[in-house]
Amino acid sequence: MDAVIVQVLPALQPVFAYAAILGLVFIGLSAMTIRERRIASVSLGDGDNEMLRRRIRAHANFAEYVPIGLFLLTGAALAEMPIWLIHVCGIALIAGRLLHARAIYTGDGRLRIAGMGATLTVIGLASLTILARVVI
């Protein structure tokens, strides 16, 4: 049993590192949303405040996509995705979520497309890696 754990851990270490970074980003988005709520004096909902609405959506969108991305990246690591590709996917997931959040704050459609493209590419690659391992 210990040998299996030792073999699995190296593949999961980068995933855990990216999860930790994304956790810190989540805290940052939370803080920005809380700050905007205080400025707008709105404790629930968005108070019809455009900036607060954008902060809420950036935070919520992050919370919607990051868990599935990390879950699938963990599965892909266990399915023996090459370490270099795990790093590419982890960096792309972080970059994609940061770009998307920035796009929601600024209304920049190009950044939003780039952010979603990076995120969905990671989800797709991880999904295909898992399927290839399960089916083959």
Side-chain angles (χ1 to χ4, degrees):
M1 183 68 163
D2 289 338
V4 172
I5 292 171
V6 171
Q7 289 174 344
V8 169
L9 282 180
L12 292 179
Q13 286 174 348
V15 177
F16 293 156
Y18 295 119
I21 293 166
L22 288 161
L24 295 174
V25 173
F26 186 80
I27 290 170
L29 291 172
S30 298
M32 292 172 80
T33 303
I34 291 165
R35 181 176 178 272
E36 196 63 38
R37 283 190 178 285
R38 287 185 178 155
I39 290 169
S41 297
V42 176
S43 62
L44 188 62
D46 63 26
D48 203 29
N49 179 303
E50 179 66 23
M51 183 50 73
L52 178 55
R53 186 172 16 260
R54 288 178 182 274
R55 300 254 191 245
I56 290 168
R57 280 311 311 148
H59 184 247
N61 194 278
F62 188 94
E64 293 161 2
Y65 280 92
V66 168
I68 189 71
L70 286 173
F71 178 77
L72 291 169
L73 194 54
T74 300
L78 293 172
E80 299 178 355
M81 176 183 263
I83 293 291
W84 68 267
L85 190 51
I86 292 170
H87 284 291
V88 168
C89 286
I91 291 166
L93 186 59
I94 292 167
R97 295 294 77 213
L98 289 172
L99 286 172
H100 191 267
R102 179 76 176 163
I104 290 177
Y105 291 164
T106 64
D108 187 333
R110 292 173 298 157
L111 286 180
R112 193 168 185 186
I113 290 168
M116 282 307 303
T119 300
L120 293 176
T121 297
V122 170
I123 291 171
L125 282 172
S127 296
L128 291 172
T129 298
I130 294 166
L131 283 173
R133 181 70 173 183
V134 171
V135 174
I136 295 176

